[in-house]
Amino acid sequence: MPIDARALLHELTREARELDIGSTVGRVPASQLNSLVFYRDYVSRNKPLIITGALDHWPAVQAWTVHHILERMGEAKISVARTPHGRADSVINLDGTKYFALPEEEHMPVQEFFAGLQGSRSEVTYAQAQNNSLPEEFGPLLQDVTDLGWATEAFGRTPEATNLWIGSDDSVTSFHKDHYENMYAVVKGRKLFTLLPPSDAYRLYSQTCRVAQYRRNAAGALELQPEEPPREVPWATVDPCPASEEQMQASQLAHPEYWDPDLPSPLQAEVGPGEVLYLPSLWFHHVRQEAGADECVIAVNFWYEMAFDCKAAYARLADQLALELHSQPLPDG
Amino acid sequence: MPIDARALLHELTREARELDIGSTVGRVPASQLNSLVFYRDYVSRNKPLIITGALDHWPAVQAWTVHHILERMGEAKISVARTPHGRADSVINLDGTKYFALPEEEHMPVQEFFAGLQGSRSEVTYAQAQNNSLPEEFGPLLQDVTDLGWATEAFGRTPEATNLWIGSDDSVTSFHKDHYENMYAVVKGRKLFTLLPPSDAYRLYSQTCRVAQYRRNAAGALELQPEEPPREVPWATVDPCPASEEQMQASQLAHPEYWDPDLPSPLQAEVGPGEVLYLPSLWFHHVRQEAGADECVIAVNFWYEMAFDCKAAYARLADQLALELHSQPLPDG
């Protein structure tokens, strides 16, 4: 009898939820955590957590208005991602083909960036460089932020990278995973994470897509242009927030195991100012944001080296079962 | 195309070893560990470790001679397991049928136990009760032992059970796993552990066996008697130390993936007096012992509650793939 990869993966999904993960992301005040408790009860278990009151000692939480940032940064230039719609690094359908769409990348003065972010331009900009951007590009703001000492103690090393994110409601990050332990600190606005554990890779219907990048065409508009020579990457094709009823129906047809009401729903984590999301290594995350009463959404994330241990080996097994599954036709009905 | 469970499991075995476990069990002095480092680098990774110099503060290491134990214990009775050959709780072939053989269980004065252990009796006795036996049966010896404080701090709770083990070279414990984190402290003699991670369950060829128990027959000899009403348990059938060349050849034929030179060998951990083995939850372990110059082999193990997290869910997936594998014929050759 051939092995039923689908049944095994469904059971893995349910078992991981029932044993440990549950259906909601917990909230714990920073005052109730220490490095050992955090590592034992969350990192070791590869289980997300929202830590409240975690940034009480950060000047940034009060200080980071647009005015303050402009004053501090002066004429400094920063990296900015630009797209027509806010969906950088995601799968875009174009003329019936699925492309993995990279944003146009620009270097511009901070003042120009904020003018675009708050203006009425039809294009969407997002400061989202993930190359240790806080010290590399926003050095003058470093003094408003301190390391999360208990996290650094827990992981036993300083972060590999510290990135600053500044964006508006229009920017969305598509489902993906990182090979890092991630401490995601929200300074202004709210971040809305949709989360699936590494064992649930099969629910995201990864497809190999040709890489393309937005570039400005002769008419001055952003246009998606396939990379030459051609290059392909696998990427999750599920959009958890379809823009219309029609798109929702199409997704339910194409991605039945993402929406399956008999499987546990993806977890939702809404992270507000002064809160930190512990986003465990290899977890899939889709991120939206809401500025609300704030001028924009600002966050700082710390990437710490992950342990490549049995959990990573097991996640790879789940990936392989998922690959096998999706080389098979979808079930009837 | 049906999934090749064998190929997936072989890759899992190799990946877990290459990423993290390696081919030998590390030794670290207790002075270089603390609760966070121990939890992060070993427990979270589900990775075994021998901790040296871990019992320097235990009076037991010097004090526990047979004379001392007899003096302390007085007339107290203890639980003793008795078999004809030293293999309690293991799979025994009898008239072509495989039984899971429980030992005869006796309650006897400590003096009688030691007389049997050191005498020339043809039967093998082993004080191996795992019901929190140190406080329950050996209370007068408790004062010679202290909790492993850093381990209790790491796990965040006191042990669920603390067991005392007293035996001779003749006693062997067959491959099995426990649903506990195990700190195994050797006081006298040496323990020789053969170890396989939870992902390698398929290499132990578990079979469902009828339960039987050794009982004394009319002629006064121990005889294996099937339980009534019949009861079955699954148990590992691999003996990593076959008694003869003939048995080795039979095992290589019946258990090719245990002996496969193209797969990583089981890990060996030789634990001497004053050392502690951290035996991670769900790891399969086979245990032999050598009294050497000591009168007998004495050990204390601490069972701490394990975390039922994604690692446990993944281990269950590996178990299910193993079941699937063994419902299929072995490969040719």
Side-chain angles (χ1 to χ4, degrees), chain B residues 82-133:
Chain B
R82 190 190 289 277
T83 56
H85 41 56
R87 291 182 291 133
D89 307 325
S90 67
V91 175
I92 303 288
N93 279 298
L94 186 68
D95 304 330
T97 301
K98 287 194 172 72
Y99 291 95
F100 176 69
L102 299 169
E104 188 203 44
E105 303 241 16
E106 290 180 46
H107 239 69
M108 63 175 74
V110 179
Q111 187 147 21
E112 187 183 331
F113 165 66
F114 275 116
L117 197 65
Q118 300 179 301
S120 59
R121 295 190 57 157
S122 61
E123 294 166 6
V124 177
T125 50
Y126 193 10
Q128 60 151 15
Q130 290 151 61
N131 54 357
N132 203 24
S133 68

Side-chain angles (χ1 to χ4, degrees), chain B residues 239-314:
Chain B
D239 178 356
C241 308
S244 66
E245 185 57 32
E246 192 188 352
Q247 285 184 24
M248 171 62 102
Q249 284 170 10
S251 181
Q252 286 172 336
L253 218 59
H255 315 124
E257 284 164 300
Y258 181 81
W259 302 104
D260 189 344
D262 291 331
L263 289 174
S265 298
L267 277 78
Q268 305 293 335
E270 192 177 324
V271 190
E275 296 182 336
V276 173
L277 173 68
Y278 164 58
L279 175 54
S281 54
L282 304 184
W283 272 64
F284 295 94
H285 50 291
H286 174 278
V287 197
R288 292 171 292 141
Q289 44 195 342
E290 289 176 357
D294 284 318
E295 299 157 297
C296 53
V297 183
I298 310 182
V300 175
N301 93 288
F302 300 88
W303 267 335
Y304 289 89
E305 198 178 313
M306 67 173 278
F308 285 89
D309 58 13
C310 64
K311 293 188 282 287
Y314 280 131

Side-chain angles (χ1 to χ4, degrees), chain A residues 3 5 15 40 154 311 316, chain B residues 3 15 40 44 154 316 324:
Chain A
I3 287 180
E15 183 114 341
R40 179 177 63 218
K311 292 189 282 287
R316 171 114 187 251
Chain B
I3 287 179
E15 182 113 341
R40 179 178 63 216
S44 172
R316 172 115 187 250
E324 199 60 44

